[in-house]
Amino acid sequence: MKTILAVVCILFFVSVGIVPVEAATVNTLVLSEIFYDRVGVDNQYEWIELFNGTSGVIDLSGWSIGCGGDDYADGTFQLNGTIDPAEYLVFGGPTSDPSNGNPIYSLAMDINPDLQNSGAIADGIALFHNLASSITATTVPIFSVIYGITNSSNLIDHTGSVGTVNVGDAPAGQSIEFLAGDDGWIINPSPNPGSGSLSTVPLPSAVFLLGSGLFGFVGFRRKVIKM
Ligand SMILES: [Ca+2]
Ligand SMILES: [Ca+2]
Ligand SMILES: [Ca+2]
Ligand SMILES: [Ca+2]
């Protein structure tokens, strides 16, 4: 009996321990992948991917993206349309071919000025819940990524303070991708515009059901042995 209980307990805690690792969840709108440096000319091949980590449809008309540079006001882009829960949306281009991962654009637009290609001086891209026309050097983003070696431009993050560098500089032809959790941002050698591994909702319900089922099993075994 003790052996059975021990095995059940181990199974339960192992299961609970595994679930949060597998679920790379986010609970807001995020920048999920960025392709800023193609092999060769970047203009008209760059793209930015968003992921809606909330449980509701988001109207993007109040959201914008800023890129820099010295600060996020160097280039600002107004978003529009809607993004469904757990949906990936790609905008940029408008050109799509194997050299930039064959993106299908929800918003086809020439990102202008082109996205910074980083290097020793890190650059940044930020997501704002503001109209693009209102973005200034001091507007605090909802979400951001700082990529490169050193944030010597003092780009800020969602706290309003100077942010830490999130990821290195992706080689030409590769992207930077947000995986959430402990993985954070990575350099992705195989850009995957329009898809990814993020999910919207944590799995407390699944953990609860699994846990209650196992505890129910323990209770059942006890009852059988008493009889
Ligand atoms: Ca290039
Ligand atoms: Ca461009
Ligand atoms: Ca570029
Ligand atoms: Ca992706």
Side-chain angles (χ1 to χ4, degrees):
M1 183 59 196
K2 282 183 180 174
T3 305
I4 292 173
L5 278 175
V7 169
V8 167
C9 287
I10 289 169
L11 280 175
F12 172 69
F13 287 113
V14 166
S15 300
V16 170
I18 286 172
V19 169
V21 174
E22 287 181 340
T25 58
V26 291
N27 60 4
T28 183
L29 184 66
V30 295
L31 300 163
S32 51
E33 189 176 1
I34 297 165
F35 183 87
Y36 58 82
D37 186 8
R38 170 178 172 262
V39 174
V41 173
D42 297 352
N43 185 30
Q44 309 216 345
Y45 286 88
E46 301 175 328
W47 48 262
I48 295 174
E49 180 194 79
L50 302 175
F51 176 76
N52 179 1
T54 78
S55 57
V57 177
I58 294 177
D59 178 358
L60 294 172
S61 62
W63 294 75
S64 63
I65 288 177
C67 313
D70 298 326
D71 57 64
Y72 300 125
D74 285 352
T76 58
F77 315 105
Q78 181 62 48
L79 298 171
N80 59 56
T82 60
I83 181 169
D84 289 336
E87 183 181 23
Y88 286 92
L89 176 156
V90 183
F91 79 95
T95 305
S96 175
D97 71 18
S99 73
N100 68 343
N102 287 314
I104 297 171
Y105 300 109
S106 299
L107 292 169
M109 58 171 284
D110 175 17
I111 295 175
N112 182 30
D114 286 351
L115 301 174
Q116 297 283 338
N117 284 3
S118 188
I121 299 174
D123 293 311
I125 298 175
L127 179 65
F128 295 92
H129 198 176
N130 306 81
L131 294 176
S133 56
S134 73
I135 303 302
T136 70
T138 57
T139 307
V140 177
I142 297 289
F143 190 83
S144 61
V145 58
I146 298 171
Y147 55 103
I149 307 298
T150 305
N151 184 15
S152 45
S153 301
N154 293 328
L155 294 164
I156 60 175
D157 65 14
H158 66 282
T159 68
S161 300
V162 174
T164 56
V165 172
N166 300 107
V167 64
D169 178 15
Q174 304 188 21
S175 66
I176 52 174
E177 181 180 17
F178 183 59
L179 300 182
D182 292 338
D183 292 323
W185 284 88
I186 63 157
I187 292 173
N188 182 358
S190 304
N192 56 1
S195 65
S197 59
L198 297 175
S199 60
T200 55
V201 184
L203 299 171
S205 56
V207 171
F208 174 76
L209 286 173
L210 178 63
S212 61
L214 287 173
F215 284 132
F217 173 69
V218 172
F220 173 73
R221 290 293 302 178
R222 279 180 178 156
K223 192 178 284 181
V224 168
I225 288 174
K226 277 181 183 171
M227 288 171 72

